Amino acid sequence: MSLSGAGKVAGVVGWPIAHSLSPQLYGYWLQDLKLDGVLVPLAVRQEDLTSVIAALKRAGFTGVNVTVPHKEAAFAIADDRDAAAEAAGAANLLVFHENGRIEARNTDAVGLTESLCAEMVRGKEILLLGAGGAARGAVLALGELGAAKIHILNRSTAKAADLAKKLQPMVKAGLTAGGLNEWADRAGHADVVVNATSAGMRGNPPLELDLALLSKKPVVVDIVYNPLETPLLKQAKAQGLTVIDGLGMLMHQAAPSFEAFFGVKPRVTPGLRVALEQALNRSEPYVIGLTGGIGMGKSETARLFAAEGIPIHDSDVATARLYGKGGLAVEAIACAFPGAVKDGAVDRAALSAQVIGNPEKLKQLEALVHPLVAAERLEYRRNTSAPIIIFDVPLLCETGAEAEVDAVVVATAPEQVQRERVLARSGMTAEKFEALKARQMSDTEKRQQAHYVVMTHKGLDHARGQVRMILADIRAKLKQHA
Ligand code: NDP
C-alpha cells in the first residue's frame, strides 16, 4: 500500500487490528469498481482514540470503521448518531462530514439481517450467546427478522440481563436472559443458535457446549469469522446441523460503510467471498521487531539481517514517505503545525523545532504518525511471501508496536560506546543526544522486553554470528510448529 497519491482515504481502527479482514474486503471492492481509494488499518490504543480520530479527520480521511474495543468510545466521540447506533449504544462506523461533524452509525445489525434469511428466524426461538457489542446488534437483527423469543446467555449473567432489559422496548420478540451455565436447560428449545461471543476466535478458547442437547436440530450461526470454521461450527457440522459462518455478516455490514466512504454501493458476490476465504487461509510470516536506542547499531544489525535474505520494512523510510509530497500526513501536519510544510512536503527541521520541548505537540504528532506507519507495516506483512520478515522500528517498545511482532530483537552496546558513536555524528551535541535519549525507553528496559539481543560493539563478524544464531533458532521453532 502506498499512503500517498490515493484518492479517497478511509480507515479501520482497533486494538489489535492485524486480524481485521476489512482492508482486503475494501480493496476487493475498490478494484472491482475501479475506484481510486484505500482503507488503512490503524492499530489505536484506547487512550489514543480521541486524538487519532481528530488527526485522521484533519488528514482528510472520509471516515473510519471501528472494531473491538472502540465501538462504545467511538459512539461517545461523535457529534451525531443514526438510529441504529443509538439503539446499539455503539458505533462501528464514524463518518467525517464536510461540515466538520462526526456521525456515528452502526451497520452490525443490518449486516446480520442481510446474511440470514427471514424464514429461518420468523416465529422461531433463538438461543443467543453473548452480551457484548455484537450481541446487541444481533438482538436487533433477530427481532427485525421476526424472531418469537430470544434467550440471551452470557458468561456474565448480569450483562445478559441488562441487555435484555435495555433492548426489550425496541423489539417485538420476548427477551430473556441467563448465564452460559443454563445451556443444558435451554438447548432443547432452540430453533436457531447464534454465537456472538468472541470465544472461538483465533487465539481465544472455544465455548464448552454439549451440542447433543440441541434436540430440535437448530441452525447454528457463528458471527466469528476468523477462523472461518470455528470450533463451534466444526462440532455442529459433525452433528449434522446446518451452519452459517460470520463472513456473510462481515460482507453485509461493510457494504453501507463502503458507500459512506467512497460514494458507491458495492455488491456482495460469491467472488468477494472466495477472495476473503483466500485471505483468511494465507499463512502469515514470522515477524521480528528490530529496535535499539540511538547509536546502538540497529541500522547495521538490519543490514546484517538483510544480507541473510530477510526482507525489512523500515519505519523511518515509511515516515519519510508520509512526509513527502502527496504523503498522507502532510495535510494534517500543515493544519496542526503551521509553517512545518513547505512546497507540499513536511520540512522536518521546521517540524522538530515545534515539537522538541513541547510534550503536548509531540503527542499530537505521534497520534497521527504512529498509526499510519503501523498501517504500512501491516500492508507489507500481508503482501510478503517470505517466511520471516523484519519490522525495523526505532520506538518499537515505546509505541506498543511490539504487539505486532512475534519476537523482539534489541541491538545494544555499552553506554560509553553509544555516546561516542552519537557524538561523532555531524551536527550532534551533548544536549541533543540527551534530549533524544530521554524520549526513548532505557536500554536496560528494552533488553528486558527482548527475545534476542545483538551486541554491536564486538565487531561485524561477531554481530553477524549472533544474527545467524537468531535466525537458526527461529527457523527451528517454525519447523517444530509446521
Ligand atoms: P465484546 O468484547 O463487546 O463482547 C465479547 C462477548 O464475548 C461478551 O459477551 C463476553 O462475555 C463474551 N466472551 C468473551 N470471551 C469469552 C469466553 N472465554 N467465554 C465465554 N464468553 C466469552 O465483542 P463484540 O461483541 O464486539 O464481538 C464479539 C465477536 O463477534 C468478536 O469475535 C468479533 O470479531 C465478532 N464480530 C463479527 C462481526 C462480523 O461481521 N462477522 C461483526 C462484529 C463482531 P462477558 O460479557 O462475560 O465478558
Side-chain angles (χ1 to χ4, degrees):
M1 170 182 61
S2 163
L3 294 180
S4 56
K8 286 187 177 166
V9 182
V12 51
V13 295
W15 184 268
I17 198 65
H19 70 283
S20 172
L21 261 191
S22 297
Q24 288 96 322
L25 206 170
Y26 283 68
Y28 181 94
W29 277 330
L30 286 165
Q31 206 175 359
D32 191 44
L33 294 162
K34 299 186 176 48
L35 293 175
D36 187 12
V38 66
L39 183 90
V40 185
L42 300 156
V44 179
R45 285 185 281 201
Q46 258 164 322
E47 60 270 29
D48 296 331
L49 184 69
T50 307
S51 48
V52 171
I53 294 294
L56 297 178
K57 211 175 98 176
R58 273 199 299 270
F61 276 57
T62 53
V64 290
N65 273 139
V66 183
T67 183
V68 179
H70 299 315
K71 289 185 181 181
E72 282 163 17
F75 177 82
I77 285 174
D79 304 300
D80 306 300
R81 295 155 187 117
D82 76 353
E86 287 287 3
N92 70 342
L93 164 62
L94 292 178
V95 182
F96 303 159
H97 288 292
E98 278 179 10
N99 61 8
R101 294 183 76 79
I102 298 180
E103 185 194 355
R105 298 185 190 169
N106 195 312
T107 64
D108 277 346
V110 81
L112 187 60
T113 310
E114 300 270 325
S115 67
L116 301 177
C117 61
E119 296 73 55
M120 208 179 90
V121 176
R122 196 177 302 126
K124 300 284 171 59
E125 201 165 320
I126 319 288
L127 200 47
L128 173 66
L129 310 174
R136 276 170 178 262
V139 171
L140 299 170
L142 295 163
E144 174 81 21
L145 288 168
K149 288 183 187 170
I150 306 172
H151 298 295
I152 307 167
L153 299 187
N154 193 45
R155 181 173 59 180
S156 143
T157 313
K159 263 176 81 178
D162 189 46
L163 192 64
K165 196 170 153 204
K166 275 205 183 112
L167 296 187
Q168 186 60 84
M170 293 178 215
V171 292
K172 282 195 186 135
L175 302 185
T176 48
L180 280 173
N181 53 357
E182 290 173 35
W183 169 263
D185 301 331
R186 295 291 185 184
H189 302 281
D191 298 305
V192 180
V193 175
V194 179
N195 175 46
T197 73
S198 45
M201 195 168 98
R202 195 172 294 285
N204 290 356
L207 297 173
E208 300 284 341
L209 302 170
D210 183 359
L211 300 198
L213 298 171
L214 295 168
S215 49
K216 287 170 87 178
K217 300 276 170 216
V219 174
V220 177
V221 182
D222 200 333
I223 72 160
V224 172
Y225 60 83
N226 191 359
L228 200 51
E229 187 174 79
T230 59
L232 174 67
L233 294 189
K234 199 172 187 167
Q235 217 189 327
K237 259 189 192 169
Q239 301 260 343
L241 303 175
T242 303
V243 300
I244 296 178
D245 62 46
L247 218 42
M249 177 177 175
L250 180 80
M251 295 186 288
H252 285 287
Q253 62 81 32
S257 296
F258 184 92
E259 189 177 1
F261 296 151
F262 302 109
V264 183
K265 192 173 182 170
R267 283 185 321 130
V268 171
T269 58
L272 171 62
R273 192 182 160 94
V274 169
L276 294 179
E277 282 178 10
Q278 280 168 354
L280 277 170
N281 290 330
R282 268 195 70 223
S283 59
E284 290 278 319
Y286 186 95
V287 184
I288 299 172
L290 173 63
T291 193
I294 180 167
M296 289 300 201
K298 178 178 68 61
S299 303
E300 196 52 53
T301 307
R303 279 191 281 276
L304 292 172
F305 275 108
E308 299 299 315
I310 307 298
I312 298 188
H313 179 277
D314 184 331
S315 294
D316 280 341
V317 175
T319 308
R321 257 196 305 276
L322 289 166
Y323 284 3
K325 266 200 174 133
L328 204 55
V330 175
E331 206 175 313
I333 287 177
C335 263
F337 305 92
V341 170
K342 289 176 186 154
D343 299 328
V346 174
D347 179 322
R348 295 187 86 137
L351 183 62
S352 295
Q354 294 193 39
V355 296
I356 285 187
N358 187 338
E360 208 36 56
K361 282 274 173 195
L362 183 63
K363 205 164 165 246
Q364 206 179 337
L365 179 66
E366 287 175 347
L368 171 73
V369 177
H370 290 160
L372 290 179
V373 177
E376 280 221 3
R377 285 196 293 269
L378 200 53
E379 194 63 14
Y380 185 83
R381 170 197 196 128
R382 285 199 172 128
N383 288 335
T384 184
S385 53
I388 303 175
I389 60 171
I390 293 222
F391 288 168
D392 176 345
V393 190
L395 298 177
L396 184 94
C397 307
E398 293 85 341
T399 57
E402 78 270 22
E404 298 170 33
V405 306
D406 299 296
V408 174
V409 173
V410 170
T412 188
E415 205 178 338
Q416 186 53 31
V417 175
Q418 177 193 28
R419 192 175 185 82
E420 283 163 13
R421 282 177 184 164
V422 177
L423 291 182
R425 292 180 187 177
S426 82
M428 185 54 69
T429 62
E431 294 77 55
K432 262 194 198 171
F433 171 52
E434 291 307 330
L436 286 166
K437 233 171 69 163
R439 276 185 62 201
Q440 301 181 345
M441 186 182 274
S442 77
D443 185 52
T444 314
E445 278 177 288
K446 274 197 182 118
R447 279 188 277 118
Q448 276 164 357
Q449 297 199 12
H451 296 82
Y452 303 97
V453 167
V454 177
M455 309 291 293
T456 63
H457 63 294
K458 296 187 175 178
L460 214 53
D461 283 344
H462 186 267
R464 186 181 295 109
Q466 293 173 83
V467 162
R468 287 184 175 161
M469 266 164 53
I470 292 169
L471 289 173
D473 190 54
I474 289 171
R475 285 183 178 124
K477 280 186 187 143
L478 290 177
K479 215 168 161 187
Q480 229 174 25
H481 292 115

